[in-house]
Amino acid sequence: MIQLTAATLTREAFAPYGQVIWPEDDGCDWQLGDAELDFNQGLPRLYLMRLAAKELRVMELAAHRQVTQCLGVMDPYPWQIAVARASHAAEQPIDATTEIQAFTVPPHCILKLHRGTWHAGPLFESPAELVFCNLELRDTNSTDRFTLPLLPGQKAEISL
């Protein structure tokens, strides 16, 4: 089992995969670091997604090529995500030892994934259920979800 140590989430560390959106005061004008969203390929969908807890195992990663995606927990609990760069070839399995980075995401922030960023998560082991805000296209799950396995024989797990 390959251990993916969850890194501290910072804007700089997450930059190859997307943006971290932290709370800011109301009334601020747009500034560098605000989410840069791409919904040119369809109609956006914003919904609250209920997820059950599951092991912090990574068997495959998914990507959305047509849209940026935003994820944030609505509950006061951290969660985990594993990511790989969008530039990874869509036909090649992912090497968990060199191509995947894991993060622990605290409450009160939202991740914006770049178009095509490979990801596994949201993942969390407790509580039994969390609610997430999810912003993507309304047909993302049916027309724009691509998956890749890890290299044959690899199994990965996020360690905290």
Side-chain angles (χ1 to χ4, degrees):
M1 182 72 66
I2 297 166
Q3 295 298 309
L4 302 169
T5 302
T8 301
L9 183 67
T10 66
R11 283 187 168 138
E12 297 76 22
F14 198 73
Y17 316 104
Q19 293 175 276
V20 181
I21 311 304
W22 298 105
E24 59 184 63
D25 293 334
D26 186 31
C28 294
D29 289 333
W30 181 91
Q31 56 191 340
L32 190 61
D34 286 349
E36 296 173 7
L37 308 176
D38 182 353
F39 295 108
N40 294 321
Q41 303 297 316
L43 294 172
R45 175 187 185 203
L46 173 65
Y47 67 105
L48 296 180
M49 176 174 69
R50 187 178 311 118
L51 294 177
K54 53 185 153 183
E55 295 179 319
L56 302 181
R57 295 235 169 108
V58 177
M59 306 303 282
E60 67 179 14
L61 282 83
H64 311 299
R65 296 178 184 154
Q66 297 179 15
V67 66
T68 54
Q69 181 182 22
C70 295
L71 296 165
V73 70
M74 302 296 290
D75 300 298
Y77 298 98
W79 54 283
Q80 285 70 42
I81 190 166
V83 288
R85 292 177 188 255
S87 60
H88 179 84
E91 305 78 33
Q92 302 291 324
I94 294 178
D95 184 348
T97 61
T98 61
E99 298 182 273
I100 297 177
Q101 177 62 60
F103 292 94
T104 294
V105 183
H108 308 297
C109 79
I110 293 175
L111 296 184
K112 190 238 40 188
L113 300 176
H114 292 319
R115 271 180 38 175
T117 292
W118 295 97
H119 60 285
L123 300 171
F124 57 95
E125 292 183 310
S126 69
E129 178 181 282
L130 290 176
V131 175
F132 290 83
C133 179
N134 189 355
L135 178 60
E136 57 190 13
L137 293 180
R138 72 179 185 182
D139 64 350
T140 292
N141 290 324
S142 59
T143 65
D144 188 31
R145 186 175 189 282
F146 301 89
T147 59
L148 278 179
L150 302 184
L151 283 175
Q154 283 190 346
K155 293 181 183 176
E157 179 177 67
I158 298 174
S159 60
L160 304 178

